[in-house]
Amino acid sequence: MKRILLFGSIGMMALVVASLLEAVDKTKSEQAFDRLTSLKGEWKGEPDGVKTTLIYTVTADVSVLMEQCRPEGGPEMITMFTVDGDHLIAIHYCAAKNQPQMVTSAITDAQKPLAFSLARITGLKSPDDFHNTGITVIQEDNDHLTQEWTYQFKGKKGTNTFHFTRTG
């Protein structure tokens, strides 16, 4: 009986050490992505008075976080987040029918808000067309999320701030 307890204790300690080593081996960008994947589930908000649902799904063997943005009465949009070396990438498939590809700077603190800036854009017919130029994802706590989207339209720049609460 003592032998079983001894081997069981050693086995549990080995599992704890292995999981700690795995966490230590992750880069800052991987840690930031792990934090981002904690958004998995459903969120509700009313940006500009429009009831909107966000659905976050972790996919592609836990290498991509997909955000489905479903404004009531409007077209759905998709944003895909992933790790690329020391930074994160977000590709937004916009209702404006363009695809801004945004990137963070090198992640040095996995707990800070994630600020993505425009790296390139596809599907833009004219520089005057509406297009997003960045997004900052602010995870206030486990149940509250703020997104700050920057955009450009006809040469003018602006920012929209959206607040969401976890519902599922």
Side-chain angles (χ1 to χ4, degrees):
M1 182 68 171
K2 289 181 184 178
R3 189 180 291 193
I4 291 172
L5 286 174
L6 175 66
F7 287 122
S9 296
I10 290 171
M12 287 300 289
M13 287 190 305
L15 283 174
V16 168
V17 169
S19 64
L20 289 173
L21 288 175
E22 182 178 322
V24 169
D25 286 345
K26 289 194 174 195
T27 65
K28 295 286 186 193
S29 57
E30 290 168 331
Q31 292 171 26
F33 181 74
D34 286 350
R35 186 165 160 258
L36 198 59
T37 63
S38 73
L39 296 173
K40 181 181 174 183
E42 189 170 296
W43 299 74
K44 299 268 186 200
E46 287 196 35
D48 299 323
V50 177
K51 291 181 181 179
T52 301
T53 301
L54 298 180
I55 300 171
Y56 287 97
T57 306
V58 180
T59 187
D61 196 23
V62 196
S63 67
V64 175
L65 177 68
M66 178 175 67
E67 175 196 274
Q68 295 170 294
C69 178
R70 297 178 174 172
E72 188 175 79
E76 180 176 315
M77 293 172 277
I78 304 286
T79 305
M80 307 293 272
F81 299 91
T82 193
V83 176
D84 184 30
D86 63 355
H87 57 273
L88 301 183
I89 294 174
I91 302 174
H92 178 67
Y93 297 87
C94 189
K97 299 185 178 162
N98 56 52
Q99 305 80 39
Q101 298 163 28
M102 300 166 284
V103 63
T104 65
S105 57
I107 305 290
T108 58
D109 184 346
Q111 299 305 312
K112 284 189 176 181
L114 295 170
F116 295 82
S117 300
L118 187 65
R120 66 184 291 252
I121 187 166
T122 57
L124 190 65
K125 293 178 182 161
S126 160
D128 280 343
D129 289 347
F130 177 90
H131 60 283
N132 289 298
T133 58
I135 178 177
T136 300
V137 179
I138 305 162
Q139 293 173 257
E140 298 161 36
D141 57 38
N142 289 334
D143 296 318
H144 298 92
L145 167 68
T146 297
Q147 293 182 342
E148 295 174 350
W149 286 87
T150 56
Y151 65 88
Q152 187 171 328
F153 182 55
K154 294 186 178 178
K156 294 185 179 181
K157 296 179 181 184
T159 302
N160 289 318
T161 302
F162 306 127
H163 303 281
F164 296 93
T165 302
R166 185 186 298 274
T167 59

